[in-house]
Amino acid sequence: MKQHYMIIDVALCFDCNDCFMACKDEHIGNNWAPYTDEQPRHGHRWMNILRTERGKAPRMDIHFLPMPCQHCENAPCIKASNGAITRREDGIVMIDMIKAKGNEALVKSCPYGAIYWSEEAATPQKCTFCAHILDHDPVLTMPRCAHSCPTNAIVHYLLEPEEMEAKIKEEALEVFRPELGTNPHVFYKNLYMYTKNFISAEVLVNGECFEGANVTLSGASAASATTDYFGEFKFDDLADGDYTLKVTSENLEYSTDFTIDGKSLNLGEIILR
Amino acid sequence: MNEFKKLTRKTQMTTGGPVFVYVDEEQDKIVRMTPMDLDENDADSWKIEARGRTFQPPRKTTYTAFTAGFKGTIYTDRRIMYPMKRVDFDPNGERNEEKRGESGYERISWDEALDIVTGEIRRIKREFGPGAMVIEPSSHHLWGNIGYRHSALFRFMNTVGMTYADHNPDSWEGFHWGATHMWGFTARLGNPEQTDLFEDCIQNCEMMVFWSSDPETNNGIYSAYESTIRRRWLKELGVKMVFIDPYYNNTNLLYGGKWFSPQLGTDSALALGIAYTWLTEGTYDKEYVKTHTFGFDEWTEYVLGKTDGIPKTTEWAAEECNIPAHEIRALAREWAKNKTMLAAGGLGGWGGACRSPIGMDWARLMVALITMQGLGKPGINMYSTTQGVPVDSDFYFPGYADGGIAGDCDNSAAGATFVYRMFDGVKSRPMTSNLSTGSGVHLHRMRLPECVLDDEVEWYGRGFVGASQEQQFHKYTYPAAGYSRIQMLYKYGGPHIGTMGEGNRYARMYRTKRLPFVVSQSIWMEGEVPFADIILPACTNFERWDIGEWCSNSGYNPDSHNQCNHRVIMLQQKCINPVGESKSDYEIFRAICEKLNVGQVFSEGKTDLDWAKQMFYASDLPTVISWEEFFEKGYYIVPVTNKAPSAPAFRWFAEDREQDVRGWISRFRPGDLVDQKGLQTQSGKVEFVSNSLKRFGHYDTDDKERPLMPMYIPSWEGHHTDRIKTYPLAVVSPHPRFTFHTHSDGKNSYVNDIKDHRVLIDGFYYWIFRINSVDAEARGIKDGDIIKAYNERGSVLFAAKVTERIPAGTCHCYESSAEYVPLGEPGNSTDRGGCINILTPARLMSKYASGMATEHCLVEVEKWKGDN
């Protein structure tokens, strides 16, 4: 049976918050029973935009990870819910408004922190993939977050699992925090921008930015690059580990060892002699 | 399964884009609003061929987060639900003016409110004569050509006989007061033309320099994320991008590219370092400069240090702006090597730097740099990617500055075209001003407190000086000869305190007997509304009829609809009835006029929908769609089939041809040019030494910040001042991302929940102040702490955001907080609301340039200790 999926491209998210506001617009003041109660006016982040700042000025970047309910195939919340949370045949994980009433413990069952407690409705709540729209709305055929996204960073798909498998391979999609083993239906492109690190520097020769130097990276992973017109290079997608960096140009050479340990590195100026 | 409500689709427009509004009519309730998906009956989109690819925009409009969350400001407990009177205000007895801002309010009826307001109007007119009643709207209130300030408000102002507090061009300042003297364009307040530049850019441009330009934050103006796709295409094509901004801004973070963070107030030094490199390495367009500039040799002597003994080398620039000299040289060389477009601000002009103490020199240096590289040649222009898409600008529909239902030719652009199309002079008449005219009464918005509190105030230039460079030098005094002083302030829309320099002045202005009567017509209880004597509850444009076009200002921002990928002209349909006892601005004005026996003159018996229909017939719309069809569908997309042939901005100038771009100058201001060739300047060329400044003849004496040619004048709010010793942190305060001016901030809206907008601490949503880890650590400040920023102008509480996006020594804090929450005496105590503008200077740009320079301020910061 076709399943609902979401693919989110970290490279295209710039924290515009259209998704976050569209979610509020849809759910605050609107009761979409039996799907979900009204979202409280403040506090909930059914679309939670996580943020990471990497490196140090001026060689830094900032990336965002829009994180809704992951709609896991192997959802810890379902296991903890005693039947109050179920997974529909089309893959959408739903909290039963009535059965879950009063069960605040369910909030803690989600390792992604995607379930929120509503004091007003005395019920746990979360993203439903806008299932009420997917099921009934003839105009909007996708979740509000995806419809509002100006860069198509968030795209909704309804696919057979095999089609999705092919897409995952083709587009190198990943899930967030795979170590949890929850098998989410939310997939990410360019996830490394949020989860991994980079090293960057500027190469100088005779006091000027040096374009065209060869830079090679070896160690925990390998890559090569040439410096741009500001003498800069950047290796991204680096896992934690030990690396060696070599910068060469004709008879000039520079080499250094470094360790990535959860942080991106701006090595500053490398003077090539 | 529940039955889902049947929803009706309506159409509405906002400062953050157009929306389809889905309404539950049975419950009189807005359920949702979304961007517009265009349908197969809507006109085709434009198409551009470039570098082997075809580019066509998505068939969907974009919106901003504050528009996506607009419902949170329609339905909120901060709405003013009924008219109110300050409890200790008695128009016939004790007024207790000094208590404004502290006293509470009591509910009164509309009749009672209107009686008090009209009673005061009659009294003031009889006792003080014209000019004593001042009306002052905020910038960018709601959207719609009928309800807008240039429209319903001006018609009311002129019907009743009130005086307008002139707005200063708060987004143009440096271009207006500076660049106009270098290249003219007064009809654009100094901004450059942008027509057909996207095609030129995507076909020819190799490098973009975004300088004080952050379109992903400010969206050009009103155009949401329409231009985002264009920058993505440019990136895909390998166009290099460089960002010069003290702050690692939201455009930079989306596209990557080299980031330069000049020390605050030193952008001019950086520009001169680039110019020096080009001059000494011979990498500028010498032939072009020879034929297209005036005074270039004299300026060259200054840059090379021959006149002042200081060569503006990259080392000299590096010292000033804290950017390594070799990086400045690399930027200069790469710029010269590539066909480069300079995005000097978010709209081909503008930019936060132009609203700073160095604004006039920065703007002029931007003109200087792009001129040196051959402004107008293919791929070389001042262009920010936000405008200049190939839509049909000849299809006529008025913008909001075209005067709407007022047709005020003195205070809007009505006289150019619109007024003759809108009013036949028999059945329908415009309503022009006899007070806010060249020879009438004037107040400068930035000097409003002084006009109330001081005996005499003087300044140069009447707000938006769009007529000529020379009129910037007209001197104004308050009170105007023969006229009375202010007796009444009719405040409309958003607050001053969060938007004008040294905001506490405005709070103090209210608390004096020199201002006997204050009305506030407002939708929300916020900012300085609780300083009024009478509060009249207005409604949003979602609660009334209007008509308007997306992004269309017209006037000083001609053809600005070419920011959007499609021209969207919209009937702004009334979605719900006004919330509570609120009324549309038009209906409030009408009710006052009726009590004053000028109701028929004001309204001509028309509703807002009647006026919208009259405007429909004043435009080109009836040639392509019937009123009935337009009424039903709610919008019209202008086809591109009749678009004029491509005429990129400045190409005519580069090629010494007759001016051929669309827009004001060619169509409505032919007198600005000689033989329709050359620029508006005296020489017709880009003037590195300005004849218009020379003619004024004061420059040997006392205009220190606007010399005859663009120079580096150290900022009077910068690191060379003595104040830096007491207030060592320099704050940059650009226009915000998640509210348009104060329009969407506060109001207990869920916009407050956006992580990069406000932070909830102990039950209060604090405005964000961004500080580098080094400065934070030195002060024992942690991320999320409540901090107090202060200087001699006041003190404000913020939530600290510790970040590397801003270098040590500089801080970042968007302006335009809607909230003003004084912890003690209003105007003289710490504000908890987050108005950085309490700390920014009230000083004008220079003695003769009456722009505001609120983008920079010096402060000290400490962890808040709970004091007032």
Side-chain angles (χ1 to χ4, degrees), chain B residues 543-578:
Chain B
E543 298 152 70
R544 57 172 173 78
W545 292 94
D546 213 316
I547 189 169
E549 178 175 0
W550 188 9
C551 272
S552 188
N553 322 32
S554 189
Y556 296 131
N557 200 357
D559 298 339
S560 53
H561 53 242
N562 72 16
Q563 293 171 80
C564 304
N565 291 325
H566 303 88
R567 280 190 70 180
V568 183
I569 302 174
M570 188 170 264
L571 178 69
Q572 299 178 225
Q573 296 169 333
K574 181 178 178 178
C575 301
I576 52 169
N577 287 307

Side-chain angles (χ1 to χ4, degrees), chain B residues 131-277:
Chain B
M133 300 185 293
V134 175
I135 190 160
E136 213 286 282
S138 58
S139 302
H140 312 294
H141 192 42
L142 301 167
W143 199 267
N145 286 355
I146 307 300
Y148 206 71
R149 66 184 158 100
H150 287 107
S151 183
L153 181 126
F154 277 179
R155 194 169 178 95
F156 169 70
M157 166 177 99
N158 298 339
T159 304
V160 173
M162 292 185 177
T163 297
Y164 190 52
D166 294 320
H167 281 194
N168 52 308
D170 50 358
S171 298
W172 277 273
E173 303 289 15
F175 279 89
H176 178 250
W177 304 99
T180 50
H181 296 286
M182 201 162 171
W183 65 4
F185 294 110
T186 50
R188 294 170 182 271
L189 302 181
N191 269 2
E193 46 190 44
Q194 296 284 283
T195 316
D196 289 327
L197 283 183
F198 179 61
E199 187 179 43
D200 181 23
C201 182
I202 198 160
Q203 289 176 343
N204 302 307
C205 176
E206 296 163 329
M207 174 160 155
M208 294 274 329
V209 176
F210 291 87
W211 199 323
S212 197
S213 173
D214 185 9
E216 304 301 358
T217 294
N218 302 123
N219 318 114
I221 182 167
Y222 315 126
S223 61
Y225 297 110
E226 288 294 283
S227 61
T228 304
I229 185 83
R230 295 171 218 152
R231 288 180 290 281
R232 190 164 147 199
W233 289 334
L234 292 170
K235 193 179 175 190
E236 285 169 8
L237 291 173
V239 174
K240 295 165 189 166
M241 292 188 185
V242 169
F243 295 87
I244 303 172
D245 189 328
Y247 183 57
Y248 184 77
N249 67 39
N250 291 308
T251 311
N252 198 348
L253 75 79
L254 181 56
Y255 305 102
K258 177 75 176 169
W259 172 37
F260 289 95
S261 177
Q263 169 158 236
L264 210 59
T266 64
D267 298 62
S268 304
L270 176 59
L272 287 166
I274 292 169
Y276 183 92
T277 307

Side-chain angles (χ1 to χ4, degrees), chain B residues 576-642:
Chain B
I576 52 169
N577 287 307
V579 168
E581 286 185 13
S582 70
K583 291 177 192 286
S584 72
D585 291 314
Y586 177 77
E587 287 301 331
I588 296 172
F589 295 144
R590 184 183 188 171
I592 292 173
C593 287
E594 276 171 2
K595 288 234 176 206
L596 292 169
N597 211 19
V598 285
Q600 186 63 24
V601 180
F602 174 79
S603 72
E604 300 183 346
K606 291 170 190 149
T607 63
D608 47 11
L609 181 58
D610 294 332
W611 284 110
K613 191 171 177 182
Q614 184 168 332
M615 188 169 285
F616 170 91
Y617 284 107
S619 75
D620 280 348
L621 281 174
T623 65
V624 291
I625 188 171
S626 71
W627 168 254
E628 290 71 26
E629 200 186 329
F630 182 65
F631 186 86
E632 192 57 37
K633 180 150 192 179
Y635 69 95
Y636 179 74
I637 304 293
V638 179
V640 293
T641 35
N642 294 325

Side-chain angles (χ1 to χ4, degrees), chain B residues 198-463:
Chain B
F198 179 61
E199 187 179 43
D200 181 23
C201 182
I202 198 160
Q203 289 176 343
N204 302 307
C205 176
E206 296 163 329
M207 174 160 155
M208 294 274 329
V209 176
F210 291 87
W211 199 323
S212 197
S213 173
D214 185 9
E216 304 301 358
T217 294
N218 302 123
N219 318 114
I221 182 167
Y222 315 126
S223 61
Y225 297 110
E226 288 294 283
S227 61
T228 304
I229 185 83
R230 295 171 218 152
R231 288 180 290 281
R232 190 164 147 199
W233 289 334
L234 292 170
K235 193 179 175 190
E236 285 169 8
L237 291 173
V239 174
K240 295 165 189 166
M241 292 188 185
V242 169
F243 295 87
I244 303 172
D245 189 328
Y247 183 57
Y248 184 77
N249 67 39
N250 291 308
T251 311
N252 198 348
L253 75 79
L254 181 56
Y255 305 102
K258 177 75 176 169
W259 172 37
F260 289 95
S261 177
Q263 169 158 236
L264 210 59
T266 64
D267 298 62
S268 304
L270 176 59
L272 287 166
I274 292 169
Y276 183 92
T277 307
W278 292 345
L279 285 169
T280 52
E281 298 183 357
T283 49
Y284 65 101
D285 193 331
K286 298 185 198 85
E287 277 311 302
Y288 182 96
V289 163
K290 216 176 274 172
T291 49
H292 290 77
T293 69
F294 172 89
F296 185 76
D297 293 342
E298 200 180 318
W299 183 72
T300 300
E301 303 243 299
Y302 161 74
V303 179
L304 298 179
K306 291 183 182 161
T307 36
D308 64 352
I310 304 168
K312 313 303 175 300
T313 63
T314 50
E315 282 76 16
W316 167 84
E319 193 68 30
E320 283 300 314
C321 60
N322 288 345
I323 292 169
H326 58 261
E327 290 193 13
I328 301 175
R329 287 192 293 275
L331 170 60
R333 288 168 186 157
E334 198 60 23
W335 183 334
K337 215 186 294 171
N338 289 281
K339 284 179 187 157
T340 301
M341 288 199 173
L342 171 59
L347 202 69
W350 287 3
C354 92
R355 280 198 319 283
S356 78
I358 59 150
M360 292 186 288
D361 277 320
W362 174 75
R364 290 194 292 173
L365 282 163
M366 294 301 99
V367 177
L369 291 184
I370 200 64
T371 299
M372 286 177 78
Q373 292 301 330
L375 167 68
K377 291 187 168 182
I380 300 166
N381 225 303
M382 191 181 279
Y383 178 59
S384 70
T385 67
T386 53
Q387 275 191 270
V389 298
V391 292
D392 177 9
S393 287
D394 291 329
F395 183 90
Y396 184 76
F397 189 84
Y400 68 62
D402 282 319
I405 67 169
D408 183 337
C409 298
D410 274 290
N411 296 292
S412 73
T417 296
F418 181 65
V419 73
Y420 316 105
R421 301 182 64 136
M422 181 76 174
F423 304 98
D424 66 2
V426 181
K427 285 192 209 124
S428 189
R429 295 178 192 182
M431 191 58 64
T432 55
S433 179
N434 59 325
L435 294 171
S436 299
T437 64
S439 51
V441 197
H442 288 279
L443 292 92
H444 188 294
R445 177 171 58 169
M446 268 288 278
R447 285 289 169 266
L448 196 55
E450 288 73 20
C451 288
V452 170
L453 296 169
D454 298 349
D455 290 335
E456 192 170 302
V457 186
E458 60 174 59
W459 68 93
Y460 289 81
R462 170 196 173 182

